[in-house]
Amino acid sequence: MSNTMKVISHMHSDFSSKFGVTRQSGIIDSVKAHIVFEPEFRNSDMLRGLDGFSYTWIIWKFSEATRTTWSPLFRPPRLGGSQKMGVMATGSPFRPNSIGLSSVKNSYIEVSTTLGPISHVLGADLLGNTPFFDLKPYLSYTDSHPDAKCGFTDTAEY
């Protein structure tokens, strides 16, 4: 068994640089993107049943904002960059492991004769060519916590 995570797919979107990408997934539901799988993972059976879910979690790699080091503190833009918070309390890309988590709305699944299954999604906050490690269905009965406190983001003006 390998301990190395494999890139299984990539995001295809109109965002070619980090400027203009929404700060969180789902903020702009009209943003269209699609997920194209690497050749070894182009098996339609892998996505069987995913079209029955409204949303999908994506586990992905920060591919553009990377460093060889990380810091335990980060200045969130939401706080105007004037206050430091622990990196684990933020969405900073400069983390011990440069992975991200986004929830996207499922639109439809297409099967291409050349590219295999393609998952079309809405509301992605990711650059084109962002590498993905995994997709998982969003389950509202366990993944949603409507009464949850949101730390400093509850009171910070944006």
Side-chain angles (χ1 to χ4, degrees):
M1 186 165 135
S2 172
N3 290 330
T4 305
M5 290 181 29
K6 292 183 177 187
V7 172
I8 64 165
S9 59
H10 286 85
M11 172 63 66
H12 288 244
S13 74
D14 290 335
F15 297 116
S16 58
S17 77
K18 66 181 181 178
F19 302 104
V21 176
T22 58
R23 67 183 184 276
Q24 289 291 139
S25 60
I27 288 179
I28 303 175
D29 282 340
S30 61
V31 173
K32 295 179 183 179
H34 57 279
I35 301 165
V36 176
F37 291 85
E38 292 297 298
E40 95 178 86
F41 299 105
R42 290 181 180 168
N43 184 322
S44 297
D45 287 339
M46 180 169 76
L47 298 180
R48 186 183 301 172
L50 187 62
D51 58 352
F53 293 88
S54 296
Y55 294 88
T56 297
W57 287 113
I58 301 171
I59 301 168
W60 50 276
K61 178 179 180 14
F62 282 101
S63 56
E64 295 294 319
T66 59
R67 294 181 184 161
T68 56
T69 61
W70 67 279
S71 173
L73 295 174
F74 179 73
R75 295 177 191 269
R78 182 104 182 198
L79 295 176
S82 62
Q83 295 178 25
K84 291 183 178 181
M85 291 289 163
V87 71
M88 297 301 170
T90 74
S92 169
F94 309 116
R95 329 175 65 73
N97 292 300
S98 58
I99 60 171
L101 177 68
S102 293
S103 171
V104 295
K105 185 174 179 68
N106 293 329
S107 183
Y108 64 97
I109 295 172
E110 165 190 8
V111 179
S112 163
T113 55
T114 55
L115 297 175
I118 300 171
S119 179
H120 293 263
V121 298
L122 301 169
D125 60 339
L126 303 166
L127 287 172
N129 211 32
T130 296
F132 294 172
F133 294 121
D134 207 351
L135 306 178
K136 296 185 181 291
Y138 174 94
L139 304 172
S140 62
Y141 64 90
T142 60
D143 294 340
S144 176
H145 304 280
D147 298 330
K149 294 186 336 184
C150 296
F152 66 87
T153 65
D154 277 342
T155 56
E157 291 184 27
Y158 201 81

